[in-house]
Amino acid sequence: MNSTILKTATRLLLPIFLIASILILWRGHNQPGGGFIGGLMAVIGVALYAIAASIDEARRRLRVDPLVLAGVGLACSVLGGLWGSAAGGAFLQGVWPFYEYVSGEGTKGWPIGSVLLFDTGVYLTVLGAVCAIIFALEEAVFAEREGSR
Amino acid sequence: MPRPLTLLPALVSALVALWFAGFIPEIAAGEVLTWSRPWIPGAGIDFAFLLDGLSLLFALMVTGIGAIIFLYSAVYFKGHPKLTMLLVLLSLFAISMLGLVLADDAITLFVFWEGTTITSFLLVGFDHEKEKARDNALQALIVTGLGGLALLAGLILLGAEAGTFRLSEMNAQGELIKASALYLPILILVFLGAFTKSAQFPFHFWLPGAMAAPTPVSAYLHSATMVKAGIYLLARLTPALGGTDVWFWTLTIVGAVTMVWTSILALKQTDLKLMLAYTTVMALGALTMFLGGGTRYAAMTVAVFLIVHALYKAALFLTVGLIDKGTGTREVNQLGGLARVMPVTLTIAMLAALSMAGFPPFIGFIGKELIYEASLGVVTEPLFVATAALLANANMVAAAGLVAVAPFFGKQCQTPKTPADPTPWLWVGPALLAVLGLTFGVIPSLIDSSIVTPVVQSIIPGEKPVELKIWHGVNLPLMLSLLTFGLGFALFYGRAQIRSSLQSENFTGGLDANKTYFLWLKAFKSFAAWTARTVQGGQMTVYLRTAFVVLGLLIWGAHLSSRDPFNPSAEFPDLIPLTICLLIAVSAAVVLRTGSRLYGLTALGVVGAGIAILFVFYSAIDVAITQLLVEMLVVLILAVALVKLPTMPREVTFRAGDAVIASALGLGVAFVLAAVVMKPFDPRITEFFNAASYPEAFGRNVVNVILVDFRALDTLGEVAVVLIAAISAVAALTAGKRALAVKKEGDK
């Protein structure tokens, strides 16, 4: 697609979308957000970029095959679950090594643990899977148009 | 000399066999060894194993014969590109089979049972380039797989009725189970599982078909071990289910019919391997029949005949492999006079066949004497059982002759290869089995108290020890044995006439289980194709129509069949939500009326955004965000797809059918929502999550905490579905591209 406005805007928008998506993933446990929403937001950034620049450009920027990214995401989620069974006793049990809840005062420490790994997995799976579908769809559409010419 | 690494499975299997052999004294002393780990403790299901006489005999067969088969396969398929694959599949099978015979938990047993079904499918279809191998593998899978489902249902019912999934505990309360109302359904389901697995009439047809597998595989799975899983199951559950009239009659009649019918079919065959396959089914029929009997002699017969059959049948199968390897054919008509050129093969074949025919001093003789003894001891119908046994045994003598005499004597025939004895690596295995058959016959005390007695005691708890003897004096069984030999010789000499008359079309009166199976399969496939054509037309509109019609019917069905009073409170909404609702309605109307896809897309976007704003009003922020993001994505994706879609006709036609579906669905959802809102709100779940979310899962966003912590397993499943959907979509979308590339390649 040849639109200077879209191209210029996207160059600015992509990093904003990505940073915002990671923020949303991070804060999701306490405020609106989470891995699924963050992942969708990242997808929109990448998809806009793919339309403005080109699929090849977007694939190059992503560096890894989106399906691989989705696979890594699923692996992260499973690992997060296994972490729970190793340290917590049950598959997918939340494990927070640096975090604790003190009655009356709230939480203390760093909110890093198996649940964050799990949610990051959700983020990556959504990002990879939807990107893979959009890329393949665009490539199929454009390949057919070229083929019919 | 085969590659050393390919001998590893044989070595491991042999070591495991020795390890099991080390348990013989303990088990013979009446001990029962158990081992278990919790699996699904909430449902009372454990990963439990048990070693008693019956398990030990089967474990020794699986590992001992397994070692011989592994060695034989490594040599038989030396240099074959898929040898590693074969050994891996065989190993997986051996593990499944071992788990099956050792399991003490019904569900554990079932999992391993299915493991043998699947590995058997893969092994029958090993030569998957051949259509016949694929068809027969599928046939074996369908027949035994359906039986497996029935078995699962039976085991679950049995577990529910007995209050335990431990087979040993079920066996301890046989009286209770037999008295229950569910006894008959349980019995039918378990019988279906056992009969399909052990190829009993009318499911006998899949086993000869499974002979599409490589010969060592047939020797192992379809003769020595897997097909006996059904027999094992019946023997294992005899204390829990056996001893009733229905048990006795079903097993006796099914076993007898299978035994006689397949022993006749065996004589019809010209392929040595197929002939052995039918005699295997005959043996399974005999075992089933005697499991019905439930007497001391019947249990002894089962125990001894299991050993007899495993030894001679595996040896003969492997011998047929040797003949096939040496001459290039298994057709009995093309073989003759091999005695001079293949003396070793002849010796092994003779040793095994003499045991099969039941000549003294082989273990087969003891087995046959016991068969007659047990037949005559059947309380209700000794004449029926003994006649069936006599007929089948006579056919067995003739079949033994066909395998071990016909190919080796008479005129030497022209064979595809110049016949010669194979390397010792190949014949040492079958030779060992055949020699064991002779040794156990000469010195039966080697096995009677150590192996046979514990098996008998597993089937009939507390039964007296067994003493096996080769000479019982001049009695009725001996007379029957002599009669068997006479009949068998007559059948062998008249084999040509018998075969031609058996092969004529009208012999079975047009009834053929295998043909019936294929007719049924064909009908089922065309039904499946019809449903696929109707429901999944390949057009988006057809899919949507089908889905919406079904959904609409469900909703209205639920709504109209509900007996609750329907009087929703009419509450006038606030101004802003009302405005948004109007906006949504107008946009929806635009979607219906517009002739431009771009307008339609934009209007749909407004509908979605409006709904998102409504979510915000009812403080469902997470849902609102998700809804908005999904709307954006839909616009992005459709914007791409728009390029490809053909231009719409300017005139929008009114389609009455679709209008009805759409209105019915929309109104249905509205009514159901109204009905749901009408019900008093149960706040317990909300209160729990609100209270537990922060202290227990350290998160204030309850929605997210539910997604990633309380109900994380659901999320994991959904994430996996997302990935699978992406993989399928990418595969479907790139298929056209790949086809284009292939076409371009072809044009060049």
Side-chain angles (χ1 to χ4, degrees):
Chain A
M1 205 175 286
N2 245 333
S3 154
T4 317
I5 301 172
L6 188 62
K7 264 187 186 165
T8 319
T10 312
R11 205 167 297 155
L12 282 171
L13 279 173
L14 179 61
I16 295 175
F17 266 104
L18 289 181
I19 291 168
S21 71
I22 290 168
L23 272 179
I24 283 179
L25 160 70
W26 172 257
R27 62 170 229 168
H29 216 52
N30 289 312
Q31 287 151 55
F36 187 76
I37 296 180
L40 280 180
M41 185 156 270
V43 168
I44 292 174
V46 177
L48 263 183
Y49 187 79
I51 290 179
S54 71
I55 306 281
D56 291 338
E57 184 67 29
R59 273 193 196 280
R60 216 168 22 247
R61 274 290 180 92
L62 209 57
R63 281 160 203 268
V64 286
D65 188 303
L67 277 181
V68 172
L69 198 63
V72 170
L74 186 60
C76 281
S77 293
V78 172
L79 277 179
L82 289 176
W83 186 354
S85 41
F91 185 61
L92 288 168
Q93 179 155 345
V95 185
W96 304 91
F98 317 108
Y99 208 44
E100 56 179 350
Y101 177 81
V102 183
S103 177
E105 289 176 48
T107 44
K108 273 185 181 172
W110 296 331
I112 294 170
S114 69
V115 172
L116 186 66
L117 183 62
F118 180 85
D119 217 13
T120 310
V122 174
Y123 174 93
L124 289 176
T125 312
V126 170
L127 173 62
V130 183
C131 277
I133 295 176
I134 293 180
F135 289 177
L137 182 69
E138 288 198 34
E139 277 165 352
V141 168
F142 292 123
E144 196 142 308
R145 280 174 91 211
E146 277 157 27
S148 62
R149 263 178 206 161
Chain B
M1 172 76 197
R3 280 198 0 250
L5 200 59
T6 58
L7 296 178
L8 185 68
L11 185 68
V12 173
S13 192
L15 288 176
V16 177
L18 282 178
W19 184 68
F20 276 117
F23 288 114
I24 292 178
E26 267 176 86
I27 301 297
E31 276 189 58
V32 174
L33 307 173
T34 56
W35 183 93
S36 75
R37 284 281 169 277
W39 179 14
I40 311 172
I45 295 167
D46 292 327
F47 209 57
F49 296 95
L50 174 148
L51 192 69
D52 65 353
L54 188 64
S55 301
L56 184 62
L57 171 59
F58 271 91
L60 284 172
M61 293 201 305
V62 170
T63 51
I65 296 180
I68 286 167
I69 299 286
F70 281 122
L71 170 66
Y72 187 92
S73 305
V75 187
Y76 195 82
F77 285 105
K78 195 169 91 179
H80 191 286
K82 290 199 294 180
L83 171 62
T84 317
M85 177 72 143
L86 181 77
L87 290 175
V88 168
L89 287 175
L90 275 174
S91 307
L92 283 176
F93 165 75
I95 293 167
S96 307
M97 191 65 207
L98 202 55
L100 194 166
V101 297
L102 293 175
D104 187 28
D105 179 274
I107 305 300
T108 309
L109 178 136
F110 174 76
V111 169
F112 285 114
W113 179 283
E114 291 299 83
T116 64
T117 300
I118 292 164
T119 42
S120 157
F121 164 71
L122 293 171
L123 283 164
V124 174
F126 185 69
D127 293 323
H128 57 79
E129 295 85 1
K130 290 183 195 147
E131 193 185 356
K132 192 163 169 47
R134 291 199 303 272
D135 283 351
N136 290 351
L138 193 62
Q139 183 182 53
L141 181 70
I142 289 177
V143 175
T144 54
L146 285 177
L149 279 181
L151 175 67
L152 177 62
L155 289 177
I156 290 175
L157 281 183
L158 189 56
E161 202 59 24
T164 170
F165 278 105
R166 290 293 178 95
L167 300 174
S168 48
E169 290 169 16
M170 292 173 184
N171 280 342
Q173 42 186 323
E175 296 312 313
L176 186 92
I177 296 168
K178 279 172 236 172
S180 93
L182 283 177
Y183 173 67
L184 198 60
I186 290 172
L187 202 61
I188 291 171
L189 291 167
V190 169
F191 278 170
L192 276 176
F195 289 173
T196 49
K197 196 77 163 181
S198 287
Q200 294 301 295
F201 187 86
F203 308 110
H204 59 286
F205 57 88
W206 74 264
L207 186 55
M211 292 301 123
T215 302
V217 171
S218 306
Y220 193 30
L221 273 71
H222 307 117
S223 146
T225 56
M226 188 191 82
V227 289
K228 296 214 180 90
I231 306 296
Y232 168 80
L233 182 75
L234 293 174
R236 171 59 72 214
L237 291 175
T238 299
L241 300 172
T244 57
D245 276 353
V246 53
W247 170 278
F248 167 77
W249 284 108
T250 315
L251 291 187
T252 306
I253 291 174
V254 169
V257 169
T258 309
M259 179 170 87
V260 175
W261 179 236
T262 54
S263 70
I264 294 171
L265 289 179
L267 295 184
K268 178 179 151 181
Q269 309 304 321
T270 54
D271 181 340
L272 288 175
K273 198 175 156 189
L274 268 183
M275 191 189 301
L276 286 180
Y278 278 103
T279 61
T280 303
V281 188
M282 171 269 165
L284 296 170
L287 287 166
T288 306
M289 185 171 87
F290 288 113
L291 277 172
T295 59
R296 170 182 165 81
Y297 270 113
M300 274 167 68
T301 310
V302 169
V304 173
F305 198 56
L306 273 171
I307 302 170
V308 172
H309 180 256
L311 291 177
Y312 81 68
K313 191 51 70 65
L316 279 180
F317 259 110
L318 297 180
T319 309
V320 167
L322 297 181
I323 295 177
D324 195 6
K325 195 97 178 159
T327 64
T329 180
R330 299 191 307 241
E331 287 293 318
V332 70
N333 293 333
Q334 294 177 26
L335 294 164
L338 295 175
R340 265 168 300 129
V341 277
M342 300 178 77
V344 179
T345 313
L346 166 71
T347 316
I348 301 168
M350 278 312 235
L351 286 174
L354 284 172
S355 190
M356 172 170 167
F359 280 95
F362 290 86
I363 180 94
F365 176 73
I366 302 181
K368 190 156 50 59
E369 294 284 283
L370 273 172
I371 287 180
Y372 287 131
E373 194 94 44
S375 307
L376 297 168
V378 168
V379 191
T380 10
E381 289 294 331
L383 195 64
F384 170 74
V385 174
T387 314
L390 179 69
L391 277 174
N393 274 328
N395 285 335
M396 212 51 28
V397 173
L402 280 168
V403 176
V405 177
F408 293 98
F409 299 98
K411 199 161 60 72
Q412 188 164 359
C413 299
Q414 192 64 39
T415 52
K417 279 200 248 171
T418 317
D421 263 332
T423 116
W425 285 100
L426 215 47
W427 57 252
V428 63
L432 182 65
L433 291 172
V435 169
L436 273 181
L438 179 61
T439 317
F440 290 159
V442 177
I443 323 170
S445 59
L446 280 175
I447 52 169
D448 59 1
S449 62
S450 56
I451 292 180
V452 176
T453 301
V455 175
V456 171
Q457 286 169 344
S458 297
I459 302 173
I460 307 172
E463 186 59 60
K464 293 195 298 286
V466 172
E467 196 187 343
L468 297 180
K469 275 184 292 189
I470 195 112
W471 178 249
H472 287 86
V474 182
N475 56 8
L476 194 52
L478 187 71
M479 295 297 124
L480 284 173
S481 271
L482 292 177
L483 188 59
T484 312
F485 293 141
L487 266 175
F489 284 128
L491 286 168
F492 179 68
Y493 281 105
R495 58 187 185 269
Q497 288 88 335
I498 292 171
R499 188 181 304 139
S500 60
S501 60
L502 284 179
Q503 278 171 344
S504 70
E505 274 296 313
N506 52 9
F507 167 65
T508 55
L511 279 178
D512 184 334
N514 204 25
K515 274 190 192 135
T516 317
Y517 161 83
F518 277 109
L519 275 178
W520 175 84
L521 190 66
K522 209 176 143 196
F524 191 73
K525 275 184 182 167
S526 36
F527 173 71
W530 174 78
T531 26
R533 267 199 315 274
T534 322
V535 183
Q536 311 207 337
Q539 261 186 315
M540 200 62 196
T541 43
V542 178
Y543 285 104
L544 287 181
R545 238 172 247 147
T546 316
F548 286 165
V549 165
V550 171
L551 189 60
L553 285 177
L554 283 176
I555 287 178
W556 278 107
H559 194 62
L560 293 176
S561 63
S562 158
R563 290 208 194 98
D564 294 343
F566 182 71
N567 50 346
S569 58
E571 197 181 304
F572 202 75
D574 291 340
L575 190 63
I576 302 178
L578 188 69
T579 322
I580 295 169
C581 285
L582 282 177
L583 189 65
I584 292 174
V586 171
S587 308
V590 170
V591 175
L592 286 180
R593 300 298 308 156
T594 182
S596 148
R597 283 216 162 83
L598 200 56
Y599 281 155
L601 184 54
T602 319
L604 265 185
V606 174
V607 172
I611 292 173
I613 295 172
L614 283 181
F615 282 138
V616 175
F617 269 94
Y618 295 97
S619 48
I621 311 284
D622 284 88
V623 188
I625 299 179
T626 313
Q627 167 82 17
L628 267 182
L629 289 173
V630 169
E631 282 303 323
M632 285 191 209
L633 259 181
V634 167
V635 169
L636 273 174
I637 292 176
L638 282 183
V640 175
L642 272 188
V643 176
K644 200 188 163 184
L645 293 171
T647 46
M648 275 167 81
R650 278 288 136 196
E651 291 292 306
V652 181
T653 49
F654 176 73
R655 291 196 298 270
D658 290 354
V660 168
I661 297 173
S663 329
L665 187 62
L667 284 173
V669 171
F671 270 107
V672 165
L673 274 180
V676 168
V677 171
M678 222 172 60
K679 294 257 172 204
F681 182 66
D682 182 354
R684 275 178 302 177
I685 294 172
T686 327
E687 274 163 11
F688 165 75
F689 280 126
N690 279 336
S693 174
Y694 194 47
E696 282 181 28
F698 310 155
R700 284 195 203 87
N701 179 358
V702 181
V703 176
N704 185 262
V705 169
I706 292 175
L707 285 179
V708 297
D709 202 324
F710 289 119
R711 309 286 310 174
L713 192 61
D714 299 0
T715 311
L716 189 63
E718 282 155 21
V719 170
V721 169
V722 167
L723 180 57
I724 292 166
I727 291 172
S728 346
V730 169
L733 286 165
T734 51
K737 202 165 82 180
R738 282 198 303 269
L740 215 65
V742 170
K743 206 176 147 201
K744 269 184 193 159
E745 200 74 8
D747 289 346
K748 278 174 198 168

